Amino acid sequence: MTSSLLPVLILGFVIGSYIALRPFPSRVRYLFDFVCFVGATFMLFRHQTLPLPGNGGAANATSLWLHAVAGIWWLFGARVLVAVMSFALNHNRRWREARLFPDLTAAAIYVAAVSVVLISVLALPIGGLLATSGVLAIVLGLALQNTLADVFAGIAFGIEAPFNVGDRISLGDKIEGTVVQMNWRSIRIFTDGDDVAIVPNSVVAKSDIVNRSFPTRVRSAFIELSCPATSNPERVIDTLQQATLLCPPILPVPLSSAVLTRLGSTENRYRVIFAVSDTEHLSTTKDLLLRHARRQLYYSGLYFPRAAQGIRTSDEGTGRPFSAVLPLLQDIILFEALEAEQLAELAVHLKPRSLEPGAVLFAQGGTDATLYIVVSGILQISQHTELSGEQTTGFIGGGDYIGEVSLLTGAPYAATATARTHSKLYGLDCKVIKPLLAANPDLYAEFDRAARRGLAILNRVVAVRATDDSASQSLVHRIRAFFDDPR
């Protein structure tokens, strides 16, 4: 009686302990599995019994409790093997997040262990069970065909490996993002909208998969824009290529290009092709390139012009046209406090300059106290330091201005400006500002406020690097001292 009850007691103890330990961390459960496995091994070894009846020792034993111990040995051996496999794979981020093969391997280990227990340990006749299970498998296969399709599609992904965890992929035109997990039923994609899209493997298998991370993460893209049909296409293309220099995320290799894609009676269509190092830079780079391209074209006179804003178009004394320079002055933050007539007076004294590629506009440490306004072309700003030598800090283009602090205070330039392309610009000498300040002393404070606000604007970071370090502080006293104002 006792021998008959012992296997039941052993199994009851193991099952009860396993249920009781479920709320505990996985490490505690794994330790319990290992202790049970070692205990079963010790008991089988003590009785000189192998876990497979019929192989000597306990093969002809009639004691049921040894059969129970052998069954426990196989089941907990499977548990320990799965735990070791999980522990090893969890140290690899790719395997930790791609759960398909670990789950399938664990399932195969458990099925094999149960089969050995049923056939070899308990010696049960399972031929009829296998036949019945075959019919049941057909029924379940028909009922779960979508789930099975997901499983087999996942297996196909594991074999073919079109992507891995961490790769950026796009599925047709619907979903694009980074793969964060792969399992037996679906993949999880972290999209650019900070959402997690769960896509069944069967759906992924039917989609057009593009791996954005292989062979490199470099992503090519393009923008399109229109210009008037009267604008010279060669000049437009050259200006668009110059605009790519103003976008730091754009890679120098492969080389960016601009092409004419469509001719029209009123406007022509152009395309700028470029590359970035990663897809995460794509949308911001497109925005930046569109703004710089429009700005370059506009100030070069190639974009759709705007009407003059109620200001005379020429000076009666000199006959100099204002239509080209007034928009430049109106867009400069430094002069936002000036009236229209004051801007027109400044425009009279603007001195045009043209630079060939490689020509130096001003050198680091120069003190010519001049504001430079770029009409077209690209200027390269570089700084020399004792530690790193000569370094390029960035580029500025059409519509940008540089040297406002030098204009107002006479401070030396903190960088060197060199023409990267054929460039046209205007220079405004500090002597032109002095009569305005003498006639309106309130402009001292206005220039101080406007200059510091212009230095704080994000898209002027490159031009700001050409100013001295004290430019962010109040400039009123320095402006007064430079223009010899006693107050």
Side-chain angles (χ1 to χ4, degrees):
M1 186 69 179
T2 304
S3 300
S4 300
L5 290 177
L6 191 58
V8 178
L9 294 176
I10 293 175
L11 292 177
F13 170 76
V14 172
I15 295 174
S17 300
Y18 185 78
I19 295 175
L21 291 175
R22 290 190 64 182
F24 288 81
S26 58
R27 292 183 178 180
V28 176
R29 298 197 302 271
Y30 290 154
L31 179 61
F32 174 76
D33 296 339
F34 181 73
V35 170
C36 290
F37 177 73
V38 172
T41 303
F42 175 76
M43 295 180 67
L44 292 174
F45 176 78
R46 182 178 179 183
H47 289 82
Q48 298 181 350
T49 302
L50 294 176
L52 292 175
N55 292 320
N60 299 319
T62 58
S63 179
L64 294 178
W65 72 273
L66 285 178
H67 287 269
V69 171
I72 290 174
W73 188 90
W74 281 102
L75 295 178
F76 279 99
R79 289 275 301 170
V80 171
L81 182 59
V82 170
V84 171
M85 181 191 68
S86 300
F87 178 79
L89 295 182
N90 279 340
H91 283 77
N92 186 306
R93 181 174 179 268
R94 174 176 174 266
W95 283 106
R96 183 172 67 250
E97 295 175 341
R99 297 298 308 169
L100 177 62
F101 279 99
D103 290 346
L104 291 178
T105 304
I109 292 173
Y110 287 131
V111 169
V114 171
S115 300
V116 170
V117 171
L118 294 177
I119 298 174
S120 298
V121 177
L122 302 180
L124 294 178
I126 62 172
L129 179 62
L130 293 177
T132 305
S133 64
V135 176
L136 182 61
I138 296 175
V139 175
L140 290 177
L142 293 175
L144 303 175
Q145 55 182 336
N146 291 333
T147 302
L148 292 176
D150 294 333
V151 172
F152 285 106
I155 295 174
F157 292 149
I159 296 174
E160 187 178 357
F163 53 83
N164 294 311
V165 173
D167 288 352
R168 185 180 183 89
I169 66 171
S170 62
L171 303 178
D173 298 328
K174 297 180 180 180
I175 299 176
E176 181 171 339
T178 303
V179 179
V180 294
Q181 189 181 82
M182 300 166 58
N183 57 42
W184 61 272
R185 195 192 69 84
S186 63
I187 66 171
R188 298 192 177 193
I189 301 175
F190 187 74
T191 66
D192 294 334
D194 291 339
D195 300 318
V196 176
I198 302 175
V199 186
N201 290 331
S202 58
V203 175
V204 178
K206 297 177 182 178
S207 303
D208 296 328
I209 305 173
V210 179
N211 192 334
R212 304 292 186 185
S213 300
F214 183 82
T216 67
R217 300 185 71 90
V218 173
R219 179 80 180 271
S220 297
F222 64 87
I223 63 168
E224 290 188 329
L225 45 79
S226 299
C227 282
T230 54
S231 298
N232 186 296
E234 285 74 17
R235 287 190 59 200
V236 172
I237 290 175
D238 185 57
T239 303
L240 292 175
Q241 289 177 330
Q242 293 176 12
T244 62
L245 296 175
L246 302 174
C247 303
I250 293 181
L251 299 176
V253 179
L255 188 65
S256 303
S257 62
V259 294
L260 175 65
T261 59
R262 189 181 67 188
L263 291 172
S265 58
T266 59
E267 63 182 34
N268 297 334
R269 193 75 174 170
Y270 297 86
R271 175 179 294 181
V272 184
I273 305 168
F274 63 94
V276 293
S277 59
D278 200 292
T279 306
E280 65 182 10
H281 305 307
L282 196 56
S283 59
T284 55
T285 304
K286 282 186 175 182
D287 168 73
L288 186 62
L289 181 56
L290 281 169
R291 289 189 282 116
H292 279 304
R294 182 262 177 196
R295 189 178 179 88
Q296 287 292 105
L297 291 170
Y298 175 76
Y299 287 106
S300 298
L302 300 171
Y303 203 60
F304 301 98
R306 67 180 181 184
Q309 300 179 358
I311 304 176
R312 69 185 191 275
T313 58
S314 63
D315 181 74
E316 290 80 358
T318 63
R320 176 176 293 180
F322 288 86
S323 58
V325 295
L326 275 178
L328 290 170
L329 295 177
Q330 292 166 356
D331 292 341
I332 293 178
I333 297 174
L334 182 64
F335 301 135
E336 60 184 3
L338 299 183
E339 302 292 337
E341 292 301 320
Q342 292 173 319
L343 288 174
E345 184 64 26
L346 291 181
V348 175
H349 297 89
L350 289 175
K351 298 179 180 180
R353 289 192 61 176
S354 296
L355 296 177
E356 296 295 322
V360 176
L361 176 63
F362 58 78
Q364 184 173 340
T367 56
D368 57 359
T370 301
L371 175 74
Y372 293 101
I373 308 168
V374 183
V375 180
S376 63
I378 302 294
L379 295 182
Q380 177 178 317
I381 309 301
S382 58
Q383 286 181 315
H384 180 82
T385 61
E386 293 182 358
L387 294 178
S388 56
E390 192 80 13
Q391 281 191 330
T392 298
T393 59
F395 302 90
I396 63 173
D400 289 321
Y401 61 95
I402 191 170
E404 61 266 45
V405 175
S406 180
L407 171 75
L408 297 175
T409 68
Y413 297 110
T416 299
T418 307
R420 177 67 179 267
T421 65
H422 293 279
S423 304
K424 294 182 179 180
L425 41 90
Y426 286 99
L428 184 65
D429 192 86
C430 63
K431 298 177 182 178
V432 181
I433 303 296
K434 190 170 184 177
L436 291 178
L437 294 173
N440 188 357
D442 293 338
L443 287 179
Y444 283 101
E446 293 293 341
F447 277 143
D448 167 59
R449 179 188 60 80
R452 286 187 288 112
R453 193 165 81 86
L455 294 173
I457 292 179
L458 184 62
N459 61 11
R460 295 203 63 241
V461 63
V462 176
V464 170
R465 289 172 182 162
T467 63
D468 60 356
D469 295 337
S470 61
S472 59
Q473 304 171 2
S474 177
L475 301 173
V476 174
H477 299 297
R478 296 173 61 187
I479 297 174
R480 291 184 183 279
F482 182 64
F483 289 98
D484 297 325
D485 188 278
R487 287 172 289 185

